[in-house]
Amino acid sequence: MSGMRLVALGVGDAFSALHYSTALAAVAQDGRWLLIDCPHPIRKVLREAVLASAVDLKINDLAGVALTHLHADHCSGLEGLGYYSRYVLGRPESIPLFTIPAVAELFRQRSDAACFVVHDEVERKSLAAGPFEIRARTVRHGDVPACAFRVECGGRSLGHSGDTVFDRRLIDWLAAANLVVHEVGAAKPGDERHTSYAELSGLPPDVRLKMRLGHYADELDLSASVIEPLRQGRVYEV
Ligand SMILES: [Zn+2]
Ligand SMILES: [Zn+2]
């Protein structure tokens, strides 16, 4: 059994009518887990993922949140998560949240930021969240500050692009991990905000093999994809 599993909580882009917005749970062998992005309605998203995957994702076992950026499809569940943890579960501790300084600066202006303790040094050095080691890399996503993550746990590693333009150097950085989730939010190459399927499908076979697609449009032909698309609710051995 591998040292980390991935549960695809959501796989859709911001406009999907079929899927929840893309969010991931990285799960350690001891059951502690890391949430990567947090769309609304996060408790319903988690409940359905637990039912589909048979992997337990209790808030009490949550080691932290890795936040790529502040578009609603990635962050709209943070208020619900933070307030539920504090006021319903009565957990006194703030939830560790990992992101880059430019995202942290904007996030701190929100009232729900009080429910989180923000760690923004994660691009300079890797930081620990329970059994997870997290590092980040700034990406280009229109004019919105955003980052990608690499997460290590139990001798395995997971890369996640977040929302980004196609960037070959970023993909090299992500591909140092055992498994890579990459967004495919653009309809065509050269987009200023997202990456297209045409760009990713031209990658070398060894990179495509370890890559899974997330953040996809309802129109993407999943059965024809040369890169395996993530399926909502499914568990992946990292
Ligand atoms: Zn998005
Ligand atoms: Zn975005």
Side-chain angles (χ1 to χ4, degrees):
M1 189 179 166
S2 80
M4 177 166 41
R5 286 178 298 168
L6 164 70
V7 181
L9 306 175
V11 296
D13 68 6
F15 312 114
S16 179
L18 298 177
H19 303 110
Y20 289 127
S21 299
T22 296
L24 308 173
V27 186
Q29 277 202 20
D30 67 2
R32 284 182 287 176
W33 61 288
L34 178 76
L35 177 61
I36 306 175
D37 283 343
C38 183
H40 183 74
I42 189 63
R43 292 206 59 237
K44 182 169 161 61
V45 170
L46 289 172
R47 177 179 177 275
E48 292 177 22
V50 168
L51 288 173
S53 68
V55 175
D56 216 356
L57 298 169
K58 289 194 187 71
I59 302 295
N60 279 323
D61 294 327
L62 179 64
V65 179
L67 177 65
T68 62
H69 66 299
L70 287 170
H71 276 150
D73 55 320
H74 300 259
C75 75
S76 54
L78 286 170
E79 183 174 308
L81 176 69
Y83 290 161
Y84 178 76
S85 175
R86 176 153 297 177
Y87 299 115
V88 180
L89 298 180
R91 298 172 85 218
E93 66 274 34
S94 300
I95 299 170
L97 184 142
F98 302 84
T99 192
I100 55 171
V103 177
E105 190 183 328
L106 296 169
F107 178 66
R108 287 194 184 97
Q109 296 169 23
R110 295 165 40 143
S111 57
D112 55 327
C115 298
F116 298 86
V117 54
V118 179
H119 302 278
D120 66 1
E121 320 86 351
V122 72
E123 190 163 25
R124 285 193 292 111
K125 56 183 182 184
S126 71
L127 296 179
F132 303 97
E133 285 283 330
I134 306 168
R135 56 180 62 209
R137 179 184 170 105
T138 294
V139 300
R140 195 154 68 81
H141 179 43
D143 55 3
V144 174
C147 66
F149 286 106
R150 247 176 24 210
V151 176
E152 293 183 29
C153 177
R156 305 294 288 177
S157 57
L158 168 71
H160 179 44
S161 69
D163 283 6
T164 178
V165 298
F166 179 69
D167 177 349
R168 198 60 185 79
R169 281 177 303 170
L170 168 68
I171 290 170
D172 287 341
W173 183 81
L174 291 167
N178 299 105
L179 187 74
V180 174
V181 174
H182 203 291
E183 74 113 292
V184 59
K188 12 183 221 304
D191 193 88
E192 287 295 305
R193 293 176 186 81
H194 293 285
T195 299
S196 69
Y197 175 76
E199 287 159 323
L200 293 176
S201 62
L203 289 169
D206 59 316
V207 178
R208 280 191 267 134
L209 200 62
K210 64 164 65 176
M211 186 175 276
R212 303 290 176 271
L213 298 180
H215 202 283
Y216 49 76
D218 293 349
E219 295 75 27
L220 183 72
D221 186 349
L222 302 182
S223 60
S225 177
V226 297
I227 304 171
E228 185 184 334
L230 281 182
R231 304 289 181 155
Q232 185 168 296
R234 196 170 287 182
V235 187
Y236 300 82
E237 298 292 334
V238 178

